[in-house]
Amino acid sequence: MHIVAILINNELNTTKRTAVIKSKGRVLASKGMNKSSGKVFFRVLGGGIDFGETSAEALKREFKEELNAAIINEVLLCTAENIFEYNGEQGHEITFLYEADFQEEHLYHEVSMPILDNNAATAEWVPISDVLSGAVILYPTEAIQYL
């Protein structure tokens, strides 16, 4: 059972870290929609890196802020650069993609979890088979190879 996460913040030009967390053929992600294209997508959890913080430190902080969850066994999988359009604006991000585990086993059994620093968002378990078949869009796309 692993987590893959991305670090992202509210800016479109940023350095982010994310984590891929997997369990029982599912990946933990939050749902979003690109308003300019109307496309629904999921993204693995994470957020921005604060000044003076390493990507690993930021990853732990983000999971604590977003889910009140501790993560362990973090392994950096890759670093990716993405240039994209979101809601009609150009974005450019550098992402540190990690794999990790939840410290608390019970979190793997939750159907969904509220994202505490975003009242409108939840984290949910998405079937990996839906991602691999193309039925579900998952960002960053680099995470797919680690599912």
Side-chain angles (χ1 to χ4, degrees):
M1 294 182 226
H2 297 288
I3 300 169
V4 174
I6 299 175
L7 303 181
I8 299 173
N9 65 22
N10 293 331
E11 298 174 16
L12 291 179
N13 296 300
T14 186
T15 303
K16 304 176 181 189
R17 81 272 171 239
T18 59
V20 175
I21 301 178
K22 301 180 290 185
S23 175
K24 300 177 184 174
R26 307 166 303 164
V27 61
L28 189 65
S30 64
K31 187 185 280 188
M33 185 177 78
N34 187 331
K35 294 174 186 167
S36 61
S37 68
K39 287 187 179 179
V40 174
F41 62 89
F42 285 85
R43 69 175 175 90
V44 295
L45 302 182
I49 300 172
D50 292 339
F51 183 77
E53 186 176 50
T54 68
S55 62
E57 291 167 342
L59 187 65
K60 287 179 177 267
R61 177 184 51 74
E62 282 292 330
F63 271 83
K64 191 68 171 169
E65 289 175 2
E66 292 186 352
L67 300 178
N68 194 27
I71 59 169
I72 56 174
N73 305 323
E74 313 85 54
V75 175
L76 180 63
L77 299 173
C78 72
T79 303
E81 181 174 27
N82 297 302
I83 299 171
F84 57 94
E85 184 178 311
Y86 179 67
N87 291 338
E89 294 186 50
Q90 284 296 118
H92 189 179
E93 66 186 14
I94 307 296
T95 299
F96 294 86
L97 186 64
Y98 280 84
E99 179 176 73
D101 297 312
F102 280 129
Q103 184 172 334
E104 300 90 4
E105 182 71 25
H106 72 91
L107 294 171
Y108 293 107
H109 305 290
E110 300 291 333
V111 175
S112 68
M113 296 168 251
I115 296 180
L116 303 175
D117 61 358
N118 181 345
N119 293 335
T122 60
E124 56 190 270
W125 294 103
V126 177
I128 291 172
S129 59
D130 289 353
V131 175
L132 296 178
S133 73
V136 168
I137 298 169
L138 182 69
Y139 293 124
T141 57
E142 292 80 7
I144 297 169
Q145 67 185 307
Y146 298 102
L147 298 178

